[in-house]
Amino acid sequence: MDPESTQLQQSELAAVLGPDPSPFETLISHLMSSSNEQRSHAEALFNLCKQTDPDTLSLKLAHLLSSSPHQEARAMSAILLRKQLTRDDSYLWPRLSPQTQSSLKSLLLSSIQTENVKSISKKLCDTISELASGILPDNAWPELLPFMFQCVSSDSPKLQESAFLIFAQLSQYIGESLTPHIKHLHGLFLQCLTSPTTNSDVRIAALNAVINFIQCLSGSADRDRFQDLLPAMMRTLTEALNSGQEATAQEALELLIELAGTEPRFLRRQLVDVVGAMLQIAEAESLEEGTRHLAIEFVITLAEARERAPGMMRKLPQFISRMFAILMKMLLDIEDDPAWHSAETEDEDAGETSNYSVGQECLDRLSISLGGNTIVPVASEQLPAYLAAPEWQKRHAALIALAQIAEGCSKVMIKNLDQVVAMVLNSFNDQHPRVRWAAINAIGQLSTDLGPDLQIQYHQGVLPALAAAMDDFPNPRVQAHAASAVLNFSENCTPDILTPYLDGIVSKLLVILQNGKQMVQEGALTALASVADSSQEHFQKYYDAVMPYLKAILVNATDKSNRMLRAKSMECISLVGMAVGKEKFRADAKQVMEVLMSLQVSQMETDDPTTSYMLQAWARLCNMETITLGDKRIGIKTSVLEEKATACNMLCCYADELKEGFFPWIDQVAGTLVPLLKFYFHEEVRKAAVSAMPELLRSAKLAIEKGQSQGRDASYLKFLSDSIIPALVDALHKEPDTEICASMLDSLNECLQVDPIAYFLLNTLFVVTYLFYNQIITRKE
């Protein structure tokens, strides 16, 4: 920094820390500025204040917090103070003088009493809790607890709420420091929760404090001392509902859910009353969906707390039956939306509501947590009436429920396979397409969860039914789902079971592959791939009929709208090729690999699924011993790829260990490893190449600095950077694996730190930012 800039900065610093409060208030306002330049300058000045005079900075923040007429300034001061008082690498408290520490504590407590804006009060409570968690265990804030007890006993709801908010946070941070006051706290909590005059916000804050304090108690005897508070805790919920304060009720439910998950045994003595109240809320259709869903979540959370309270919910069979009925009713909240029938993709869930989604999810969780012996008798009692009902929604709900409980109830359902499979297959002929879809969905799920028993015992009923469902051309979603179910069924199927049905299934799949909507074609490709994989050499009989269609899709499906279709054709071709063997596949392998290689060097968009499918296809093709391509024979073995990865890792290690001593080999190693950033045959090879890039730059830089670079100067480092950094960015643009993308970003960061003046820096940062948002995040979504 030049002398003039230094002088200006010192002048600004003196003004901000001086007696006039205006410059400091301006600094705080600039920290909230929407202007990047203004905000960056303010941050630099604030950090300089922190380094130069932390005492004055802290006191100015505290005074601003207690006296500024501007809400934004008070809120920002509370946030900044908390950040300075958080125990991390920049923990400010130990650097403050005893006088400043004492003043800060006093100012924080006085601010709690004078602050009238609730959101700022909560930020103040956060700041006080953060500081207290660091110093209260050492008895360095003896005034705090008496002050909080005084607040709770006061007539001010604002002070009562603030004290309970601090109690709640301290229970989380340093609960052991509060346990000596357990008797006093119990009395305060009881008084607040049972008093008819207590403000609803204070009740919620007290409930939060009670639940956090119970969780911090290590002994069951201590927890049991709070058992008499549970009825009052539940009344906080019911009174909020009775007075129409559903937002408050939802806060209470969220807190009680936390208690159910962490300390379910605390509820065991009054379990009947508590669960009964929750089911009553869940059944009340006059309440908001969010409230009912939270009540359901409470019961499901209790059912899932098996380790802490094994078998507790199983002792309430009447409640399990009620809960199942509630969830079944939620599955009825579905409309026959025309968009469902005209959907272009299988995952378009038109007509489904949040109630329907919660019903689905919770049936699955309930069955997994309680098991088949508990759930199957309840399902057997309730589902037949749904299946026999005239309303399509009820028949649909029964089939969805069967699919949802299959995983958790598999052992018991396998014992009753006759009844289960009959229920589902009878619905294949239902008049409503959404019910037929649900029946196919159930068969697909049962094939996964009840396999291979279902495949062994019921192949003669299931496979013909699925083949017939593929004829339903007026309802492409039914066709597509039938193809998906064939995949599920065949994955748990041995060739001897599948082979007798191959003629019918393959012919149907070929028909819908040629004539169906794109969604149906994609399903057919996936099913063909799975059938080929399961039947292995038995699929050779169908190879000549199937492969021309697969190659045609691979070559012709080039539009953006057809990307997934092309990707799935790659998958299918590679699995069919592996199934029939290299001799049968060799004639088509050349054309297929030429297409894959042309795609590999093309510029594909970051969200194009082709990349990941192509890599999987390459891996399958390369696991075959040899493939003829023109006059070349490609023979790649997994063991060879692993050896290559090991060699790359060793080179990276050598560069890391030898540092400047590795300089003589940098050109040769860089020439070998840079191209391997795009070695799509093996992830570990790419990972090793990525890790090596900054090590090569470090080795070159150290050798130049220490005069061991064989006459080469800083221009060589620039040459090396210009070779490595663009290659990394280009590889990042095409990398399909998000984990390796993250490694590439780290490697780029390290490279730029080694050569910070690289001309490519600015462009790289723009590219990396673009990739981060448009490649990695898009894929995760």
Side-chain angles (χ1 to χ4, degrees), residues 324-335 351-363 383 386 392-394 396-405:
F324 197 90
I326 290 167
L327 298 177
M328 287 300 300
K329 199 166 183 180
M330 286 188 151
L331 290 182
L332 300 179
D333 196 358
I334 184 171
E335 299 173 5
E352 296 180 7
T353 63
S354 60
N355 272 341
Y356 179 87
S357 300
V358 168
Q360 265 195 312
E361 178 197 340
C362 290
L363 278 169
L383 293 186
Y386 272 77
W392 74 266
Q393 291 93 337
K394 287 189 174 181
H396 181 274
L399 294 163
I400 294 297
L402 268 177
Q404 293 303 109
I405 67 173

Side-chain angles (χ1 to χ4, degrees), residues 78 196 202 426 442 615 709:
V202 177
N426 287 341
L615 294 177
S709 56

